[in-house]
């Protein structure tokens, strides 16, 4: 049995090694009033909330998506059930997508701290080469029913805007070692963009996705499910995780 009480802790009998439990007790000090120093308004103690915006049903307007095609530059493809990114000689294709963050329930306050924002789109056909897809924040208004290659916000010049100004990126293709080499959801991280949308420091016009190197001599195409497909398990999504601090 313990023989003494020293320094607020029980000590072992003389000549006998302390047990791990006794050692822990001996090294632990309780400081009166310490819990009062922990603020429950700190972000570290605030529960994370998540808003997931899914492009369903097919007629939903809070989420819009479409493809623009260089080869048919004045045609709108907003009603198609697929979305396409393609690099080729005169036949490049891009995706435009937008999610209305004001439809989140509960509403994300402008003072919220966005921890993570992830775009999820479902790839159904992959190129035979591993291709990089760039994601750019759109800076002008567009509509699902009217946008074409010629009138798109970024203009009709290929490889514009420059890859260095992208907000996010992912790789897709069938070769071994490619980031996404099978059918399923692919993701792009867009936390900084969504944070500015929530704070109101920039306007949410959505994003444009294009091949990192448009105008490839060999056509490279990746195909994704559009909201018009009507398959919930494959719909485009934006997942936003955030915290609110009183």
């Amino acid at each position: 049995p313990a023989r003494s009480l020293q320094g607020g802790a029980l000590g072992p009998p003389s000549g006998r090694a302390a047990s791990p439990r006794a050692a822990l007790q001996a090294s632990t000090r309780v400081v009166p009033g310490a819990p009062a120093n922990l603020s429950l308004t700190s972000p570290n103690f605030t529960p994370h909330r998540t808003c997931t915006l899914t492009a369903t049903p097919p007629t939903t307007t809070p989420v819009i998506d479409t493809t623009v095609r260089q080869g048919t530059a004045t045609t709108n493809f907003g009603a198609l059930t697929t979305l396409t990114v393609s690099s080729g000689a005169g036949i490049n294709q891009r995706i435009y997508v937008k999610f209305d963050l004001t439809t989140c329930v509960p509403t994300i306050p402008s003072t919220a701290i966005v921890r993570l924002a992830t775009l999820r789109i479902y790839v159904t056909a992959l190129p035979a080469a591993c291709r990089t897809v760039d994601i750019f924040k759109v800076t002008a208004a567009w509509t699902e029913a009217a946008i074409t290659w010629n009138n798109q916000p970024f203009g009709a010049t290929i490889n514009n805007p420059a890859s260095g100004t992208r907000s996010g990126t992912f790789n897709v293709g069938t070769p071994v070692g490619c980031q996404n080499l099978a059918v399923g959801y692919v993701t792009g991280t867009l936390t900084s963009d969504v944070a500015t949308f929530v704070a109101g420091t920039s306007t949410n016009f959505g994003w444009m996705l294009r091949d990192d190197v448009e105008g490839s001599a060999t056509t490279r195409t990746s195909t994704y499910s559009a909201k018009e497909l009507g398959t919930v398990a494959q719909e485009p999504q934006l997942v936003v995780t955030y915290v609110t601090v009183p």
Side-chain angles (χ1 to χ4, degrees):
R3 296 180 178 176
S4 62
L5 181 63
Q6 298 177 347
L10 293 175
S14 176
R16 186 178 302 174
S19 69
R21 181 175 180 179
L24 176 62
Q25 290 174 330
S27 63
T28 303
R29 294 182 61 204
V30 177
V31 181
N37 296 324
L38 300 177
S39 172
L40 295 181
T41 62
S42 167
N44 294 327
F45 291 93
T46 303
H48 287 69
R49 293 180 175 176
T50 299
C51 171
T52 301
L53 296 176
T54 303
T56 186
T59 56
T60 186
T61 54
V63 182
I64 57 176
D65 59 10
T66 190
T67 298
V68 295
R69 299 180 177 180
Q70 185 183 24
T72 43
T74 60
T75 302
N76 171 264
F77 296 98
L80 292 186
T81 59
T82 58
L83 304 168
T84 310
V85 170
S86 187
S87 176
I91 53 172
N92 299 282
Q93 299 182 58
R94 299 171 174 175
I95 294 172
Y96 278 80
V97 61
K98 177 186 173 185
F99 298 82
D100 185 354
L101 289 166
T102 66
T103 61
C104 284
V105 179
T107 301
I108 304 177
S110 61
T111 55
I113 300 172
V114 178
R115 295 298 193 194
L116 180 66
T118 304
L119 172 67
R120 304 179 74 234
I121 56 174
Y122 195 95
V123 62
T124 59
L126 300 92
C130 190
R131 304 294 294 186
T132 297
V133 176
D134 296 332
I135 309 172
F136 299 90
K137 182 170 69 173
V138 180
T139 56
W142 58 278
T143 64
E144 188 178 55
I147 190 172
T148 67
W149 180 271
N150 279 356
N151 69 16
Q152 62 177 306
F154 284 114
T157 302
I158 65 172
N159 296 310
N160 180 63
S163 297
T165 64
R166 65 195 180 192
S167 299
T169 185
F170 59 84
N171 295 330
V172 63
T174 57
V176 174
C178 198
Q179 179 185 6
N180 299 284
L181 46 73
V183 168
Y185 272 109
V186 298
T187 62
T189 301
L190 300 169
T191 306
S192 295
D193 285 354
V194 172
T196 65
F197 298 158
V198 168
T201 55
S202 67
T203 302
N204 178 12
F205 295 117
W207 294 276
M208 182 270 282
L209 288 71
R210 72 163 175 85
D211 191 283
D212 184 63
V213 182
E214 292 182 313
S216 173
T218 301
T219 302
R220 304 296 187 187
T221 302
S222 54
T223 305
Y224 309 82
S225 297
K227 72 171 185 178
E228 286 76 12
L229 181 64
T231 302
V232 175
Q234 298 182 22
E235 299 291 13
Q237 288 186 327
L238 181 67
V239 183
V240 182
T241 301
Y242 65 97
V243 296
T244 58
V245 181

